[in-house]
Amino acid sequence: MTTFNLTETTASRISSTLTRLRHQMGAPAVGMVLTLVVVVDEAGQYDALRAATDAAREHPSRILMVIIRDPAEPNRLDAEIRVGESAPGEVVLLRLYGELTEHADSVIMPLLLTDTPVVVWWPGECPEIPAKHPIGHLGSRRIMDARSAGEAVAAISSRAGSYVPGDTDLAWTRLTPWRSLLAAAFDQPMGKITGGVVEAAAGNPSAPLLAAWLCDRLEAPIEIADSAGPGLTGVRLSIEGGGELTVSRTDARLATLSRPGNPDRRVALARRPTSELLSEELRRLDPDDIYAAAIRRLAEMKGRGRA
């Protein structure tokens, strides 16, 4: 991989350098399916870059890391460009100082790939209304992570009020294996669900989302209970006439599925790294209507004091 550093530069110089480096290597910027814009601070850039690069192996991308530095310093833009024949696309680390920290959108606009989708990801703190943020406005998809917020449950509970088609949250993506397992459990005939409980470590933002999804799908009251963790540890659904459907996970890797009249079954239900979560979100660039329904139901549950 080739790394090229530009200090006190401009977006046009970065763009021309990208083109020159690719042509020197005999690999022009083709085959990249999207631009992934990652808005992060210096402390979080290493982990975010590693996750984005891993995800780009499935979705070759131009990755623009927007790293906000000191707004009190003189205006300056520094860039680190990484390209290579074995690299899954292109990586540009952009460090913004001074007033440029308030106008990052004007810096990245000339660097967006033409005629390809733009996805914006905030690994840490995100704007209150991502779609109205100058950078978020550029994306057809906007990915957040409520787990990074100071008040994670409050953050995910507030999503309904600011939701715009294209928004999603990795707290929701973490639920995909749970939702798939629970949906498959209903492939066999079962009585009506009269209520249930989602168990998770205190403050886990995925727990109220899973409860809201179950409540929306089953039209039954679903409560949330704290457990020792890690993460989500169980779901218990009461069946009309007696019995329970349960999913119990105690080691963050395997879960036990129990249904009345059936032997218990051990199933893989491992916690996934951020790179896998990001890859999943990049597979779909259309609005996630099920997520939208879940956060609307979550807002209703919070209004009734159940979330």
Side-chain angles (χ1 to χ4, degrees), residues 41-218:
D41 58 19
E42 194 68 63
Q45 64 89 10
Y46 177 81
D47 288 338
L49 179 58
R50 183 172 60 180
T53 303
D54 287 346
R57 300 188 190 284
E58 180 180 341
H59 311 277
S61 313
R62 173 173 288 178
I63 301 170
L64 303 178
M65 298 284 296
V66 181
I67 304 168
I68 304 300
R69 296 298 299 263
D70 190 350
E73 290 196 20
N75 295 343
R76 190 170 90 246
L77 170 62
D78 296 339
E80 181 181 331
I81 302 171
R82 303 177 185 178
V83 297
E85 293 181 356
S86 61
E90 301 169 338
V91 176
V92 183
L93 281 71
L94 302 165
R95 290 181 169 85
L96 284 67
Y97 300 81
E99 293 181 4
L100 286 179
T101 60
E102 299 295 327
H103 304 284
D105 56 315
S106 63
V107 174
I108 66 174
M109 281 185 65
L111 303 176
L112 303 178
L113 292 172
T114 57
D115 301 322
T116 59
V118 177
V119 178
V120 183
W121 174 35
W122 288 271
E125 294 287 342
C126 71
E128 184 175 348
I129 306 179
K132 292 187 177 180
H133 187 273
I135 295 179
H137 183 69
L138 300 174
S140 56
R141 289 278 283 179
R142 292 161 295 277
I143 303 172
M144 298 149 273
D145 192 350
R147 195 172 69 174
S148 301
E151 295 290 336
V153 173
I156 200 65
S157 299
S158 68
R159 295 284 188 247
S162 62
Y163 175 79
V164 172
D167 290 354
T168 194
D169 197 294
L170 294 186
W172 171 251
T173 319
R174 293 184 182 95
L175 293 175
T176 300
W178 285 84
R179 293 192 297 118
S180 298
L181 178 59
L182 288 164
F186 285 90
D187 287 345
Q188 296 182 4
M190 193 177 305
K192 177 179 173 58
I193 301 298
T194 58
V197 177
V198 172
E199 300 167 341
N204 185 292
S206 295
L209 267 180
L210 182 57
W213 175 74
L214 287 167
C215 183
D216 188 63
R217 293 288 160 166
L218 300 174

Side-chain angles (χ1 to χ4, degrees), residues 221-276:
I222 307 295
E223 305 297 332
I224 303 165
D226 291 344
S227 71
L232 289 165
T233 57
V235 174
R236 293 185 285 112
L237 301 176
S238 300
I239 303 172
E240 189 175 47
E244 279 189 334
L245 166 66
T246 67
V247 177
S248 177
R249 183 181 71 175
T250 57
D251 63 0
R253 295 184 300 107
L254 293 172
T256 301
L257 171 65
S258 302
R259 292 176 294 189
N262 291 272
D264 290 354
R265 182 161 64 96
R266 296 282 278 174
V267 293
L269 200 61
R271 304 182 78 190
R272 298 182 293 165
T274 303
S275 57
E276 289 188 20

